[in-house]
Structure formats: C-alpha cells, structure tokens
Amino acid sequence: MKPKVLLSSFGLLIQVLAFAVQFCAALPHTHGHGLNEHRHHVARSLASSGSSLAVESAGTTCSLRNKSASPSPFAATSLGFAHLLTNSTNTHSPAPHITPFALIPKLLGEEQAVPPSSAGTSGIGAGSGTETTSSRDSEAYYYPALDGSNPSPTFNSNLRRDNQGSHKGNHHHHHTLEFVAVPEPTSSSVTPSATVTALSPPCPAGNGTTYISKESIEYQVVCDIDFPDNDHPFLLVDSFESCIQACDAFNVKAGSNKCLAALFVPSRLPDLDDCYLKSSVNHPTVATVGIEGVILVTSTTSISTLVYASAVSKSTWSVKTLAAPSVSTTSTYSTRSSLRPSISTTSTSIPRVASNTVAANSGPGVSYASGNTLITPKVASSQLHGPIQNVPTTQYIDVKPPPPPHLSKNLLVVGPNGDLTTHYDISLDTGVLQVNSSTQPLLAPLKNTPHLSRDGGRGGYLNGQHLFLFCDTGSYTTTTPDKNGDFLGFVSSSVAVDTGMNGLEGKPLNIQDGVGAWNDDSGRMRSFAPLTQGEQSYNQAMQGKGQRYAIWPESSIIPLDADTAIIYAPIVYDNVNMDTKAAVFSYTGTTLLSITVPGKGGPVAERVAKKIFEKDEIEWGCSGGIRSWGPSGIGGTDGKVYLFGNIRAGLLLGRTSPQDIADHDSYEYWDGDSWSSIKPTLSSKSFFISGAFMDVDIFYSPRHLTFIAVYLTSYADSTFYYRYLETDLAIRPPYAPGGDVADDFVANVLKFKWSEETLLYKAKPGHNGKFIYSGGVHQGYYGSDDITNGGPKMLLSWTASTGLDPSADTSEYQIVTAEVDWA
C-alpha cells in the first residue's frame, strides 16, 4: 500500500513529498464526486469534469472536472475538492399545489394536454367529489411506458423515511396517492364467470369471462391489459375473433402452446397492425390504448394470479390537485408513478419474495478449481481495447410527456431541500420508456444521429445484456471531424448496452442507447434514473441559474435475482456561483434503483426507495456491494445483499435480505465483532478491508476459490490494483460442488486478512494528462471465460478526460476498456 512506501527510505520519502506537492497544486483546478465533506475521496475530487454544458463551464458527474465553454441548461464548473462540499440543512418547505394534465394516446395525431375539466371526470379534489366516467373513446389516458419500468420484484418497504421507524415487517400503512384512478365500471368481476363463444364488443362487459375459440380452445377475456414485450410478429386482422384464430393457428403450427395471449386493438388506423400475439403473460400492465384480449387457459396458466391489472382496467384518470405533503402518522407506499391506480385503504399487505423459491443454477458455464486450498491470483497479460464508440439508435418513441408541474416560489430557493425528493411522486418525463404493443406504433425515426458526451461507464451483466451506466450526459446534434454539434440537452444519468461484443476480439466496444432513451426526434435524452416531480420541476425552473439535483450511478450494479439488479446512487445538489463559476456539490442522501432489461426500449431503472439513506449517514452502497447467493444458486432469491460504506481509510460493510433492500431499518452493520442494527459513524474503524479507495469491485473467483478486490486508489495514479482474501482453505459457495448449504460465503471477507496491494493494470492518463477515474470490472463480460465464472479473462473500463470540446467529434471524455488475463 502507498503509505508503506513512506517508511522505506529517505529518497522514496522525498519522491512521495514531491508527488504530494504536485497533487495538492492540482486541487483548485479540479473537482470530484466525493460528496460528503468527511469522505475525502481525493481522486474523485481531482477527476476531470463532467459535461461542459454551462455558459463557461459546466457541472459534472461521476467525478467533477474542468470544462470548456458551451451553452447549458445547468451551470456547474470546476470545484476545488471534496472539502468544499457542503452538508446544508434541508429546508422543509410545504409542497406547492400542482394540477397535472392527462394524456390522450397518439393515434390520430398530436397528443394533447387535457385539463382536469375535460379529462372525462369531475376529478377528486376538483371540487365536486363526484366520480364520473366517459366513454372508452373519449377517456384521457396516461402512458404506463412513461413509468419507466416493468413491475419490479417485490420489495419489503418503500416508505417515506420520516415515518419508517415504526413500520417494520410486511404491513405498511399508506394514504391515497395524489393521483387517483377511477376504475371504469364493468359488468363482471375479475374472476372467471360465464362462458361465451362470441362477444361484440368483448370489452368491458366480457372482462374475466371464458371464451371458447372456433378450435374449441379455452381462453379468458382480459380488457385493456398489456403484457410488455414477449411479442410474436405483429399481425393485421379484421376482428377480435380473427386475432384469436391467429393465436390458435400459431400454436397448431408450432405443435405446442407458444402463443399464450392474443391482444386486439380495434382503434388502430386502417392498414396498421392491430393483433399482438404474446409468448408470455408475465408482468401485466394497464394498457395505454383500448385492448380486447384473451389469455390461453392452460394447466400452467394461473388465471387467479393475474387478478388482472384489469381490475383497474383502462381507468379514467381523475385528476386531484397535489396539496402540500402531509406529515401524518401514516406513510406513503410510493409507486413508480403518481399516475397509478390508488388503493384507498389504511393498510396494505406487501407480498414478500419467498426464499429458496427460484430454482437457479450456478451460472452460465461456471467452473471451479479443484482442491481444498486457494490458488493465488496472478496476472498473466493484458490488452488495451481503446475508447468505446457510441452507436445511437435510429428510432425513438414519439410520446409527448405531460407538462411539468410548477413549484411555488418559496421552493425555488438556493440550497438542498429533502422534501423535493421524499414528498413527490416520480416525474413522468424522466426514466427510460418501454416498447410494448401500446408504444410500438409510436416508434418514429430520429432525424439526426445524436452525439453524446458523458462519463462514468460502470455497469455489469444483466439478463443477457452488458450494461454501461453513465453520469452527466450531454446530447448534441450530429458531429463530424469538420463540424461540431449543437447542444440539445443534458441529463444526470444515461444507460447503454454493448452491441457486437467486440471485446471478445480485442477491439473497442460499441454501445447503444435504447429507443426508449430519447425525448424527441432531435436526440434530447430522458434520464436513466427517474427524478421526482419535485427534483425535475426544480431543475427546470433553475435552468441557467446554476442549481440542480442529480442522481449519479457511480458503482457496478449488484445482481438481485435472475432478472433484476440494483444500484445505490447518491442524490447530489449541485450549486454553481455563476459569477465565479465555483461549484459546491452537496450529498443529500442515497436513492435505491432497481434495474431490469425488458426489451427494445433499453434498460429501465425504477426508484424503489426515493431516499434509502439520509445525508447525515454514510454513503452506503454508493461504492457498490456484492451479492451473497444462497443455496438456490446464482439468480435465486435467498442469501444476502452486502453493500460497502466507503469512508476515509477503508470499507465498512452492511447487509440485508434481498426482500428487504428498500427497508432502511432492515440493514445491519459490521461493528468489528458482530452484526448490529446500530449504524457506524464516519469515525468508525470497523473496516473489513483498509485502504484509500476511489472505485472498487469485490467479487468471488471460482478459478482461485477466493475473493478478489480490484480498485483505483485515491492517490490518482491511473493504476488499477488488486488484493485477494488469504484464506486457510478454499471458499466454495453454498450452491457449488462441495459447498456448505448453510454458509453465507461472502461473510468470509470478515474472517481472513487481505493480501498486499499488487499492480493489476497501468492505464494511460487522458488526452489532457489528467488521471483516469470511474474504473471498474464489468463482471461476466466474457461468459464462461470470465473471471467470475471460473475463466481467465476480465474486462476493465474507466473514464479518461480529453479536455476537448464536448460538442466536437472527439468529445470531452473517453470510456476506455482493456482485457486482463489471469494465470
């Protein structure tokens, strides 16, 4: 480790002192992402800046840096250092009165903002309190795709933190959400009732009834419900019955039940596909257009489990004025969107994910070394790939988001206000959109190829895709070597996936943003991490004044189960003095994102806890964590989720169960001797590994039968190092051959010491000579040859600052990758 060099000789001491002088001299010109004034992540404080989007210099991202001039919606600039970051007290101002608008699906033309008086209801809170519904053709609908994700795994809690303490367990009280769905009356319940052979029209009267097709195959009618993705080719038919016949024919031809649902959209324009055959009925969601559908009744299809989102089938959205947040004895069970049907009850039982219910395996091609002792990890070789290339999509989803609500003047003040995070629902104009049968017809071409300037690039493997998560991202019109692009927009996070797997051949990677990532045909982006209405409205109101809220995904993702990953991301308040261009970044707490990859729209993030840790707590999870899989194996629902607390001299350790990740009070922390519910403070010395870490990944290596830590240090030397756990015997997971099913194998990191620091990979500094940052391991990239699956290969990535114009073809940052081969 670096400090040990200081004791070796007088000459080395002089070199270290000289380096320290140079190091400190650089501080006033750079800034970083160490968001807590006690954290002292020196390298983050030095990393070159984030997205030159200000009038002269602009606000940053995964590490904050100097920038050149260009217009920006937010001004932020070079900061000095983590020491300059503030811990301003939240101002608990009342929320404003907001009247949102509903959307009419874009079928015949441009969407319209519909004021409450014309939304088909006499909205609750609009004065009368009388609920009315309009006809199906004139309803004002919202777009579930704007919610940003599929239904997520069941989490134990998503409570507003100011009321969390007294609500542990599975039952959580809540009050009616601010936007209320008034279900359209139906003539049947959601349980199956009468059997029919023909319905015209089948919805809404036939919802829940049994339908017998001409081939004598039994279906059940579901109205206004979509099953995102899982589409067979779309079809053009002439009726509801013809769509069902197509499903019958598909299964006859396939020789098995490949078509599990048939969805007919009668409102489609002539000559547009109106029949959607589905290969899965998982994740039912309220549709954005009128759908007449059926699901196949088979021995493996549990009709009762669908309890249909059709229970709220094609609701007419009644608009309620958003009053100031009440601080009562009840708490809000937050949903992904305020435009969700509300359940007016005093208690909701939140189903838990059962342990050991997923029959997962040990992973794709995982192989374990033989023997009962660890194999010392050693590096054999490495190969630089070069900078990643962005390959944007050519389409976007042509959906106009609802107009942003307006905040009252007393909320538009300088300084962080925690209520803007905790007391507001998710903004529908943030988060990645999904492509499903409702939004598929809204796909439209981008009129140019956007140029992106962004940093970060951590991520990982999830559900067959290799994800790259970015912090501040600026989008520009098409750039060429001879012409810079024009500034379009700016978001605090974005996401892309690898296309082509070029890294397998030692070539620079190509990555692509999904079609759901774009806000319009010019290439303005939607933020990957959804913002609340309070955060988004504040940002829009303060454009050009130097203040904003940002969510920066700084770590690798933590797998949660077979289809979901999570990331703990800091919520940052960015305050720039527009005269001096000095920026102060305040850590205001940590949000918890669940991540899925539902399809063509791209990876989706959901804020399952708007704020899981407060500003006065350690930044738990912001530097990552590790999944301790249980006996059911990789992708199962048992085991533990561990997260790191990165403070000045090392990493602390916390953990919880996969079912309780959104429950702040479920976490326990290692105090040096045992697990405790008492949270450590910033002065704690209960490290499970000591060191000055800027970025870190810790993973289990089946090839070496032990854990390996890969990291960049806070000494800003553009160097990856590694250490391994020096165990007495080989460590085998409970799901591996020879593993102990009762063992929490990640807990071994507390039982043994770590090896000395060893050089892993020396990276070249950025074009402007500044050190690299946001470095990490993309676990699983090489499949069965990957270090995490027992193979010899590992993919590293990092951000290198160029110091060049972000609107130029060269861009301001390069995300660089390299392959490391282990002996």
Side-chain angles (χ1 to χ4, degrees):
M1 291 179 63
K2 293 283 183 183
K4 295 184 179 181
V5 178
L6 298 175
L7 304 177
S8 60
S9 70
F10 180 76
L12 288 176
L13 177 61
I14 294 299
Q15 292 180 15
V16 171
L17 289 175
F19 170 77
V21 170
Q22 296 175 351
F23 180 75
C24 294
L27 297 184
H29 307 290
T30 54
H31 56 283
H33 216 128
L35 303 174
N36 188 300
E37 63 180 343
H38 302 287
R39 185 165 164 183
H40 298 293
H41 282 187
V42 176
R44 292 188 179 190
S45 302
L46 289 175
S48 99
S49 156
S51 68
S52 304
L53 302 178
V55 176
E56 291 187 56
S57 57
T60 116
T61 74
C62 288
S63 294
L64 311 178
R65 30 269 138 202
N66 249 345
K67 304 177 236 215
S68 58
S70 78
S72 164
F74 306 106
T77 143
S78 41
L79 168 69
F81 196 55
H83 302 70
L84 301 179
L85 306 179
T86 63
N87 278 323
S88 304
T89 303
N90 284 349
T91 304
H92 293 281
S93 305
H97 291 280
I98 299 176
T99 303
F101 296 113
L103 287 178
I104 293 178
K106 182 173 182 180
L107 294 175
L108 300 176
E110 192 79 10
E111 301 95 340
Q112 303 176 46
V114 182
S117 60
S118 61
T121 74
S122 57
I124 301 172
S128 69
T130 303
E131 300 176 4
T132 62
T133 57
S134 63
S135 69
R136 290 167 58 87
D137 293 334
S138 62
E139 289 174 339
Y141 305 145
Y142 89 112
Y143 286 92
L146 290 171
D147 289 349
S149 74
N150 276 328
S152 66
T154 300
F155 302 111
N156 192 43
S157 173
N158 191 8
L159 302 178
R160 205 168 65 209
R161 288 292 314 287
D162 53 357
N163 291 322
Q164 251 182 0
S166 60
H167 298 286
K168 296 189 71 174
N170 290 345
H171 297 271
H172 304 292
H173 300 283
H174 69 89
H175 55 71
T176 301
L177 297 179
E178 285 77 10
F179 293 86
V180 179
V182 183
E184 182 176 298
T186 62
S187 60
S188 63
S189 69
V190 294
T191 52
S193 54
T195 299
V196 294
T197 57
L199 288 170
S200 183
C203 293
N207 186 46
T209 58
T210 299
Y211 179 93
I212 305 299
S213 73
K214 291 184 178 180
E215 298 294 331
S216 299
I217 297 175
E218 183 178 354
Y219 292 88
Q220 184 165 6
V221 176
V222 289
C223 297
D224 302 322
I225 296 303
D226 190 15
F227 305 98
D229 304 305
N230 306 301
D231 292 302
H232 293 303
F234 301 154
L235 303 172
L236 175 62
V237 299
D238 58 4
S239 67
F240 169 71
E241 289 78 9
S242 297
C243 189
I244 299 173
Q245 290 174 24
C247 187
D248 285 349
F250 192 97
N251 288 335
V252 170
K253 183 176 181 180
S256 61
N257 291 331
K258 300 295 186 181
C259 173
L260 299 184
L263 308 180
F264 178 66
V265 184
S267 60
R268 286 282 182 260
L269 291 175
D271 300 324
L272 289 182
D273 293 335
D274 52 13
C275 177
Y276 302 86
L277 306 183
K278 297 286 183 172
S279 62
S280 170
V281 292
N282 293 330
H283 307 306
T285 62
V286 179
T288 61
V289 294
I291 290 181
E292 300 171 355
V294 293
I295 58 174
L296 181 66
V297 178
T298 69
S299 59
T300 58
T301 301
S302 174
I303 301 302
S304 61
T305 60
L306 288 177
V307 181
Y308 316 107
S310 349
V312 293
S313 159
K314 187 60 77 164
S315 303
T316 298
W317 296 105
S318 173
V319 182
K320 178 180 179 182
T321 301
L322 185 58
S326 59
V327 180
S328 63
T329 56
T330 58
S331 57
T332 301
Y333 175 62
S334 299
T335 59
R336 181 179 307 105
S337 162
S338 61
L339 296 181
R340 284 281 186 190
S342 176
I343 301 174
S344 298
T345 178
T346 56
S347 179
T348 297
S349 178
I350 304 172
R352 296 170 61 90
V353 179
S355 295
N356 300 309
T357 57
V358 177
N361 54 46
S362 60
V366 177
S367 58
Y368 298 86
S370 59
N372 295 320
T373 59
L374 72 85
I375 298 172
T376 302
K378 295 180 180 179
V379 176
S381 62
S382 60
Q383 177 184 1
L384 177 68
H385 295 158
I388 287 177
Q389 302 298 313
N390 289 311
V391 185
T393 55
T394 58
Q395 291 181 304
Y396 79 108
I397 300 174
D398 189 6
V399 172
K400 182 181 295 182
H406 297 286
L407 299 181
S408 58
K409 290 184 178 180
N410 66 313
L411 295 175
L412 299 177
V413 296
V414 176
N417 181 350
D419 289 351
L420 295 178
T421 294
T422 58
H423 288 176
Y424 290 83
D425 289 306
I426 297 301
S427 176
L428 294 184
D429 58 346
T430 64
V432 175
L433 301 178
Q434 297 179 56
V435 177
N436 52 38
S437 58
S438 300
T439 57
Q440 178 80 25
L442 303 178
L443 289 176
L446 288 169
K447 68 182 182 183
N448 65 65
T449 302
H451 167 71
L452 303 177
S453 177
R454 54 190 175 185
D455 70 349
R458 305 290 295 278
Y461 176 81
L462 178 63
N463 201 17
Q465 299 286 344
H466 297 281
L467 279 58
F468 290 79
L469 277 55
F470 300 94
C471 300
D472 283 353
T473 301
S475 56
Y476 301 80
T477 57
T478 305
T479 63
T480 67
D482 302 321
K483 182 181 181 299
N484 291 2
D486 297 323
F487 176 74
L488 292 172
F490 180 74
V491 292
S492 66
S493 63
S494 62
V495 63
V497 298
D498 179 274
T499 60
M501 298 298 291
N502 288 355
L504 301 182
E505 300 177 359
K507 300 177 181 178
L509 277 59
N510 289 333
I511 59 173
Q512 186 171 78
D513 300 83
V515 299
W518 310 103
N519 237 338
D520 58 29
D521 61 356
S522 295
R524 292 178 179 86
M525 299 197 79
R526 302 173 62 90
S527 60
F528 170 63
L531 300 179
T532 67
Q533 291 176 341
E535 294 163 342
Q536 178 74 345
S537 296
Y538 182 92
N539 287 356
Q540 293 185 358
M542 303 299 280
Q543 286 187 50
K545 299 178 182 179
Q547 292 80 38
R548 63 161 176 151
Y549 288 88
I551 295 177
W552 287 334
E554 298 180 306
S555 71
S556 298
I557 61 176
I558 305 171
L560 186 65
D561 56 35
D563 303 310
T564 311
I566 57 174
I567 193 166
Y568 298 80
I571 309 166
V572 184
Y573 182 77
D574 178 0
N575 181 18
V576 177
N577 184 311
M578 296 303 291
D579 295 325
T580 65
K581 306 306 176 188
V584 176
F585 295 83
S586 301
Y587 167 71
T588 69
T590 297
T591 189
L592 176 59
L593 304 174
S594 72
I595 303 171
T596 55
V597 188
K600 185 177 179 180
V604 167
E606 177 191 349
R607 283 177 79 170
V608 296
K610 296 172 189 172
K611 186 182 288 187
I612 186 67
F613 295 108
E614 293 287 354
K615 65 174 185 177
D616 56 353
E617 297 179 291
I618 289 170
E619 296 175 37
W620 289 103
C622 292
S623 289
I626 183 172
R627 183 69 160 90
S628 183
W629 302 108
S632 64
I634 296 172
T637 59
D638 50 359
K640 294 286 186 181
V641 174
Y642 284 80
L643 65 166
F644 309 144
N646 193 356
I647 60 176
R648 186 168 188 170
L651 299 183
L652 305 174
L653 200 60
R655 70 179 185 182
T656 189
S657 70
Q659 296 78 30
D660 295 324
I661 56 171
D663 182 359
H664 173 270
D665 296 330
S666 72
Y667 288 80
E668 56 183 0
Y669 309 90
W670 183 252
D671 64 9
D673 296 309
S674 61
W675 292 101
S676 171
S677 61
I678 300 174
K679 294 185 289 292
T681 65
L682 289 164
S683 61
S684 174
K685 303 298 181 184
S686 301
F687 308 125
F688 76 95
I689 181 170
S690 299
F693 301 103
M694 176 168 60
D695 301 297
V696 61
D697 285 295
I698 296 177
F699 56 88
Y700 174 74
S701 170
R703 183 180 184 85
H704 303 101
L705 303 178
T706 189
F707 288 90
I708 298 176
V710 173
Y711 54 92
L712 294 176
T713 73
S714 295
Y715 296 105
D717 57 359
S718 299
T719 303
F720 286 91
Y721 298 92
Y722 76 95
R723 296 164 68 182
Y724 61 91
L725 196 65
E726 296 181 321
T727 62
D728 296 334
L729 297 172
I731 296 174
R732 294 184 182 275
Y735 51 85
D740 182 352
V741 295
D743 184 33
D744 178 357
F745 78 116
V746 171
N748 282 291
V749 300
L750 301 170
K751 301 175 183 179
F752 304 96
K753 70 175 184 177
W754 291 85
S755 68
E756 293 298 315
E757 186 172 89
T758 304
L759 173 68
L760 175 68
Y761 183 86
K762 181 68 175 179
K764 183 180 179 180
H767 179 77
N768 58 0
K770 292 185 178 180
F771 59 85
I772 69 167
Y773 62 96
S774 195
V777 178
H778 276 263
Q779 300 177 39
Y781 186 84
Y782 292 99
S784 59
D785 286 334
D786 195 85
I787 182 69
T788 57
N789 292 322
K793 298 180 181 296
M794 181 174 72
L795 183 70
L796 292 177
S797 74
W798 62 90
T799 294
S801 172
T802 66
L804 303 175
D805 191 329
S807 65
D809 187 55
T810 49
S811 197
E812 187 180 9
Y813 309 104
Q814 292 180 334
I815 313 302
V816 187
T817 63
E819 176 186 317
V820 172
D821 292 288
W822 298 80

